[in-house]
Amino acid sequence: MNQTVVNVQNSYPVLIIFAVCVACTMFLALWAAADKGTTADFYLGDRRLSGARNGIALFGAYMSAATLLGNPGLIALSGYDGIPYMLAPVVCWAVILLLVAEPFHRAGGFTFGAFLARRFRARPVHRAAGTAVVVVSLLYLIAQLDGAGALAASVLGLTGPGAQRALVAVLGLLMVLYVMVGGMRAATLVQSVKAVLLVGAGIALALGVLSRYHGDPLAMLSSAASSSGLGVRFLAPSGRGALGTAGGLDSLSTQLAFLLGAAGLPHVLTRFSTVADARAARGTARWATVLACVLGLVAVVLGFGAAGIVGPSSITADNPSGNTAVLLLARDLGGPLLLTVIACVAFVTILAVVAGLTLTAATAVAHDMYAAVLKRGGAQERTELFVAQAAIVLIGVAATTLSLFAQNLRISVLVGLAFAIAASSILPALLYGLYWKRFTTRGAIWSIYGGLLTCLSLTALSPAVSGSPTALLPHADFAVFPLENPALVTVPLGFLLGVLGSLLPGAGRGGVRQNRPFQ
Amino acid sequence: MYLCVAAVSVWAGGLLAVRVLGPVNVGLVLVLLQFAVTVGVAWRYGGSAGRREQAVRAGTSVSSRQWEGRR
């Protein structure tokens, strides 16, 4: 049974608020519209953002609706077991700040492929990097669009797969329009506004929860524990994890993907190229870290607050995976108005993330695949810009169409796979390229394609695709790999392939253009 | 630290269930500690890298002045 948090009779005011919200963000995109004369401006904006502003935008680009809705829902239903899934996107910022932010900025380039091409043979690394970036972006886009469709349908009181599909299509169209109109400048503005809204709304809700318990977080925890029916065991690890079907090992694999994958997400990497100097790049990661920590703490309070105030049974009755826990909590604390406001914040959150992803994927197609591979670096700027805009439409249509067919696949599986590919395919080449002198073109290609293909094939052979009632193909069974998330195997493999490709006989210098890392 | 806590919670969850204050247990304390460590690392790294960069710049300008003086 899948009830909705708002009745159909109440959906017209909600629809109007949603429409106003969409109109406001579209106005922002038009206001910030890029000077489309140069590709650099379209891909990266004016590159004069301060560290603080870019950090806020990066936080907006990275934090998806999963942080506001999914993670508190997991905590509300699983207690302590849900916390690591929220903690990984926070702790990963230390990895990004220490290892990636500043050196990646210093290396320069529009894309991950352009970064590798400064050191290695241009065409093969552009081709490999462009492929990995497009696959990661598409998977993450499909997950976000599916999540947005389910969220909007739930809030608007619409039921049935037809309504969800229509909403996914509308969101896909909006996403294409935003990025086509304004490029990186519009994406930055929407991401910044979303970041402020997300943190503001989260803090307001968390304060509302704490005020219910007279400002006593211990009372909130006790209430959550007693509502769960498990007592204090709700606040301790069960050893099974909150998501996995293969128990603790699957949980560990998913956490590894989230921890390391963030540092390899292409739309996060692009953000370090939108600032003028290394100081601003450090400031970017610093601000994003602090905001992520604030939102992480807020998510914990909202999760335990939802368990205590709404109760796990009511949450499960509304949505078995707990994605509407925060919406139910908002309704309990502030009525339909607060519920609608939080839903609008979640909607803008999704829009900001998909805008960044679409732009990054289109940049990879135009800059890596078209200009570097097809035209061998000899593309005219106007033609490349036209290809980038055509790629936005193409990627938007592809992501929307695929997400209509992927509605049976769990969103957590898609997100986990995108992070696993980023950690197994992009991150090894990125870190070796930054820090290892003996890394070669062959090593880069082996690690990128090796990580990508093993992630995709192991997921195809996992219980997420067949052999279980919740799988994409529940009636088929070819699940020979036990983990839903392959990161535990593929991350070490990606790093190993980079070493083997660089050191095995026959690698030579592998077409190395400059024999030093970007340090 | 994050992966250690994740591994302990999978294979030795009992350690994290030990109660510290009211309903708060070792696991929840470690969660809070990880937030604090992440913010601490971010702030310290940002500050120290900035000072290092300034020192490098100052060193470069001193050596270039000395070089100009010798000429």
Side-chain angles (χ1 to χ4, degrees):
Chain A
M1 184 177 160
N2 190 16
Q3 297 167 352
T4 52
V5 290
V6 175
N7 295 326
V8 179
Q9 296 95 302
N10 296 336
S11 68
Y12 287 108
V14 179
L15 197 62
I16 290 167
I17 296 175
F18 251 75
V20 170
C21 176
V22 169
C24 287
T25 45
M26 184 52 86
F27 171 74
L28 282 177
L30 283 169
W31 183 58
D35 165 17
K36 291 181 184 169
T38 67
T39 46
D41 201 292
F42 190 74
Y43 296 151
L44 301 176
D46 59 10
R47 301 178 90 168
R48 286 196 303 238
L49 289 175
S50 67
R53 243 196 98 191
N54 199 44
I56 292 170
L58 174 56
F59 169 79
Y62 174 66
M63 283 297 171
S64 67
T67 318
L68 181 68
L69 303 179
N71 291 332
L74 264 185
I75 294 170
L77 296 183
S78 324
Y80 181 93
D81 286 341
I83 294 181
Y85 299 96
M86 177 276 313
L87 204 55
V90 174
V91 176
C92 70
W93 286 103
V95 179
I96 294 171
L97 180 69
L98 293 176
L99 297 178
V100 177
E102 192 179 337
F104 186 79
H105 169 82
R106 283 188 200 280
F110 293 154
T111 61
F112 172 54
F115 153 78
L116 289 175
R118 296 264 172 113
R119 248 189 96 182
F120 306 114
R121 276 207 340 262
R123 287 186 78 208
V125 292
H126 268 296
R127 194 185 294 120
T131 309
V133 167
V134 170
V135 172
V136 170
S137 304
L138 262 181
L139 284 169
Y140 207 19
L141 267 174
I142 294 167
Q144 293 290 325
L145 287 173
D146 269 350
L151 167 78
S154 172
V155 172
L156 293 172
L158 305 171
T159 50
Q164 274 194 30
R165 283 182 182 149
L167 288 167
V168 166
V170 169
L171 189 77
L173 180 70
L174 278 174
M175 165 183 88
V176 169
L177 280 176
Y178 278 107
V179 186
M180 281 278 283
V181 165
M184 181 53 96
R185 289 192 194 202
T188 301
L189 199 61
V190 174
Q191 285 160 357
S192 305
V193 169
K194 162 258 175 108
V196 173
L197 287 176
L198 184 63
V199 173
I203 289 176
L205 258 187
L207 289 176
V209 168
L210 287 173
S211 72
R212 275 282 177 102
Y213 296 101
H214 310 291
D216 182 3
L218 298 185
M220 178 190 75
L221 289 173
S222 301
S223 162
S226 63
S227 296
S228 72
L230 293 170
V232 285
R233 279 185 294 139
F234 184 66
L235 305 175
S238 69
R240 292 189 308 276
L243 294 173
T245 52
L249 214 54
D250 209 2
S251 163
L252 205 61
S253 189
T254 309
Q255 289 174 48
L256 183 71
F258 285 139
L259 181 69
L260 297 180
L265 284 180
H267 65 298
V268 169
L269 292 176
T270 306
R271 275 262 147 233
F272 292 113
S273 302
T274 56
V275 287
D277 53 29
R279 187 163 167 261
R282 285 196 302 275
T284 297
R286 205 171 169 183
W287 274 94
T289 308
V290 172
L291 287 171
C293 281
V294 170
L295 193 66
L297 277 173
V298 161
V300 174
V301 173
L302 295 184
F304 285 124
I309 294 170
V310 183
S313 53
S314 304
I315 295 169
T316 319
D318 193 78
N319 182 301
S321 56
N323 284 336
T324 52
V326 171
L327 298 175
L328 292 167
L329 180 68
R331 189 195 59 185
D332 275 18
L333 290 174
L337 184 67
L338 187 59
L339 162 70
T340 309
V341 170
I342 297 296
C344 284
V345 171
F347 187 73
V348 176
T349 294
I350 292 169
L351 210 54
V353 175
V354 294
L357 282 165
T358 311
L359 186 61
T360 308
T363 307
V365 170
H367 194 67
D368 292 331
M369 300 299 207
Y370 173 75
V373 176
L374 210 63
K375 290 287 176 183
R376 296 171 182 265
Q380 287 186 337
E381 193 155 347
R382 281 184 64 183
T383 323
E384 189 182 327
L385 194 60
F386 173 75
V387 172
Q389 287 170 331
I392 289 169
V393 178
L394 197 70
I395 286 160
V397 170
T400 309
T401 313
L402 287 171
S403 60
L404 295 178
F405 289 104
Q407 290 192 340
N408 289 341
L409 195 58
R410 274 171 294 138
I411 294 172
S412 59
V413 172
L414 279 170
V415 175
L417 178 59
F419 274 76
I421 295 174
S424 320
S425 167
I426 297 177
L427 190 66
L430 177 68
L431 291 184
Y432 286 145
L434 285 172
Y435 294 104
W436 190 28
K437 252 170 70 173
R438 299 178 68 188
F439 194 44
T440 63
T441 303
R442 196 174 77 171
I445 290 168
W446 280 24
S447 61
I448 292 173
Y449 284 131
L452 176 66
L453 294 175
T454 48
C455 273
L456 290 174
S457 41
L458 288 180
T459 303
L461 298 173
S462 76
V465 173
S466 70
S468 75
T470 55
L472 179 67
L473 307 168
H475 304 299
D477 188 2
F478 46 87
V480 289
F481 183 69
L483 305 180
E484 284 198 346
N485 190 298
L488 209 55
V489 175
T490 56
V491 171
L493 190 72
F495 279 94
L496 181 69
L497 286 171
V499 174
L500 293 177
S502 301
L503 298 183
L504 278 182
R509 292 264 32 93
V512 172
R513 292 165 68 167
Q514 59 179 60
N515 189 17
R516 63 186 169 82
F518 294 109
Q519 284 296 290
Chain B
M1 180 178 176
Y2 171 82
L3 286 176
C4 285
V5 175
V8 169
S9 72
V10 170
W11 288 297
L15 280 177
L16 302 185
V18 174
R19 286 168 76 171
V20 177
L21 174 70
V24 178
N25 55 36
V26 175
L28 292 173
V29 172
L30 284 175
V31 167
L32 282 178
L33 200 63
Q34 287 185 69
F35 278 119
V37 167
T38 307
V39 172
V41 165
W43 222 250
R44 283 217 55 148
Y45 171 77
S48 67
R51 283 193 295 278
R52 202 171 56 235
E53 196 176 66
Q54 277 177 351
V56 169
R57 273 200 199 137
T60 312
S61 67
V62 166
S63 32
S64 60
R65 275 203 302 274
Q66 286 169 346
W67 176 246
E68 288 292 321
R70 276 182 214 153
R71 286 175 66 192

